[in-house]
Amino acid sequence: QVQLVESGGGLVQAGDSLRLSCAASGRISRYAMGWFRQAPGKDREFVATITWSGGSTSYADSVKGRFTISRDNAKNTMYLEMNSLKPEDTAVYYCAAGPRATIVTRMYDYWGQGTQVTVSS
């Protein structure tokens, strides 16, 4: 069993940066992990994913070149570095863990409660 807790969200202006963290209660080294987000009135959408080793990453086109996913298995923590934030990045951001690094939401077994990111114009 893995419990995930996100932190680092907040209110920022367009062009600013934020770093989200996802701390796990159990060992995450055996799991692929991902970041997803959900804006009001919209479905949860894929943001980024990383393999268990951190050797491979994948990003949504909307964040490619601006966001960086990383992990530190020794600290049981995953990160999302977000640069050049835009108002359309406003959403609740969730971290997730599962057997494969995939963009498919239902393939992840464990989810955090989310952290709000609000980007003002």
Side-chain angles (χ1 to χ4, degrees):
Q1 188 76 11
V2 174
Q3 293 184 326
L4 305 173
V5 178
E6 303 93 339
S7 62
L11 172 63
V12 297
Q13 294 187 330
D16 285 350
S17 298
L18 275 177
R19 188 194 199 200
L20 304 184
S21 297
C22 174
S25 62
R27 291 182 62 189
I28 61 170
S29 58
R30 60 193 294 183
Y31 295 103
M33 299 193 72
W35 286 99
F36 292 77
R37 66 187 182 186
Q38 188 166 18
K42 295 187 177 181
D43 293 334
R44 191 170 298 189
E45 66 173 6
F46 166 75
V47 175
T49 187
I50 187 167
T51 55
W52 68 270
S53 67
S56 181
T57 59
S58 181
Y59 298 90
D61 287 343
S62 59
V63 307
K64 200 171 295 183
R66 299 188 298 121
F67 291 11
T68 302
I69 188 172
S70 62
R71 65 190 296 165
D72 185 337
N73 288 340
K75 295 182 178 180
N76 288 324
T77 303
M78 176 180 66
Y79 306 96
L80 185 68
E81 186 75 34
M82 305 186 295
N83 298 316
S84 302
L85 282 162
K86 304 175 180 180
E88 51 263 44
D89 294 320
T90 295
V92 177
Y93 283 71
Y94 299 89
C95 65
R100 291 196 304 127
T102 174
I103 68 171
V104 180
T105 307
R106 59 180 172 82
M107 297 299 291
Y108 289 85
D109 298 319
Y110 303 103
W111 291 84
Q113 293 300 306
T115 185
Q116 176 71 47
V117 172
T118 303
V119 184
S120 64
S121 58

